[in-house]
Amino acid sequence: ANAKANAEKNLQNARTLFESHLQSVFTQRGPGWVEKRLDALAKFSQGIQIGLSDQSNAPAKGWVRFIRIIDYTQGTDDIRYVQDPGCRYWADKSDIVMVRYGTPGLVGRGIEGVIANNLFKISILDGSLTNDFLAYFLGQQTVQNYLSSQGSSTMPALTFTQLGAVMVFFPHEMEEQKEIATKLDSLREETQRLARLYERKLAALEALKKSLLHQAFSGEL
């Protein structure tokens, strides 16, 4: 029990370590940082609504990946495909996709395909920001808290006006943005590795506990 408690604490520490550092990056801004509203830096485009009957579990010629909220939140194996509706609704792996309903503000990346209508893409207008830097900025807890608080209690939803009002702080120099994003990539990878390590340790301890209890009650000890 003590070993499990320690492992659970270490797991929580590993998960909060990255968020703590991420927050510090944007609160301890150095010289050369500027501040602008997000709607002055980027445009927003909503996805497309496609009925379940027009979706397929198998790819075919002229059909493309259909990205839903669940693809970002759960990493489901239930991959869907739809007939290609055109580039207007397309998102590349490097693009920033945001959830609009249910869990408003959640940032999704890393999947290529057509986005559903409860998602929208954020496209930088003038090249003053990198996608990687902006994705980290929008993913920090203070921004997430603001975005998730929008909408009604019955149907949390995020409007383009609410998102556009977010004030973005960023280094004017692109190289500094890239350097920050690269360091955050490395830290995130390391903290995720630590989290997986403690998750495996917890699973092993639980298996050991069950084994010991079985032996105790079966008279094998």
Side-chain angles (χ1 to χ4, degrees), residues 35-93:
E35 176 184 359
K36 289 187 179 181
R37 283 174 57 108
L38 183 57
D39 56 10
L41 297 165
K43 65 177 182 178
F44 318 125
S45 54
Q46 190 168 344
I48 184 172
Q49 183 171 357
I50 297 179
L52 188 61
S53 61
D54 294 319
Q55 302 174 26
S56 173
N57 295 109
K61 186 177 181 180
W63 289 58
V64 294
R65 174 80 181 266
F66 187 51
I67 306 173
R68 303 154 295 156
I69 293 178
I70 193 174
D71 293 305
Y72 293 122
T73 58
Q74 299 183 24
T76 178
D77 292 329
D78 179 23
I79 297 175
R80 302 288 179 81
Y81 299 89
V82 296
Q83 289 185 321
D84 190 352
C87 60
R88 176 181 175 182
Y89 306 104
W90 185 264
D92 292 324
K93 290 182 179 181

Side-chain angles (χ1 to χ4, degrees), residues 23 44 65 80 90 93 130 136 141 153 160 194 205 207:
Q23 196 71 32
F44 318 125
R65 174 80 181 266
R80 302 288 179 81
W90 185 264
K93 290 182 179 181
T130 69
Y136 277 125
Q141 197 59 53
S153 58
F160 290 167
L194 286 172
L205 287 168

Side-chain angles (χ1 to χ4, degrees), residues 6-19:
N6 288 334
E8 287 169 351
K9 183 178 180 180
N10 288 333
L11 175 59
Q12 183 61 33
N13 288 340
R15 288 172 173 169
T16 57
L17 173 63
F18 177 77
E19 176 57 39

Side-chain angles (χ1 to χ4, degrees), residues 123-186:
S123 304
I124 297 169
L125 292 171
D126 60 2
S128 58
L129 282 170
T130 69
N131 278 344
D132 293 337
F133 182 89
L134 181 58
Y136 277 125
F137 181 90
L138 295 174
Q140 62 175 310
Q141 197 59 53
T142 53
V143 177
Q144 286 291 296
N145 289 343
Y146 163 75
L147 295 176
S148 63
S149 68
Q150 304 307 302
S152 67
S153 58
T154 55
M155 175 54 76
L158 181 65
T159 68
F160 290 167
T161 300
Q162 292 162 343
L163 178 61
V166 172
M167 299 303 298
V168 182
F169 304 91
F170 59 98
H172 179 71
E173 296 295 332
M174 296 289 287
E175 286 305 314
E176 186 176 354
Q177 294 182 33
K178 293 176 182 178
E179 182 180 353
I180 289 172
T182 298
K183 289 180 178 178
L184 288 171
D185 285 342
S186 298

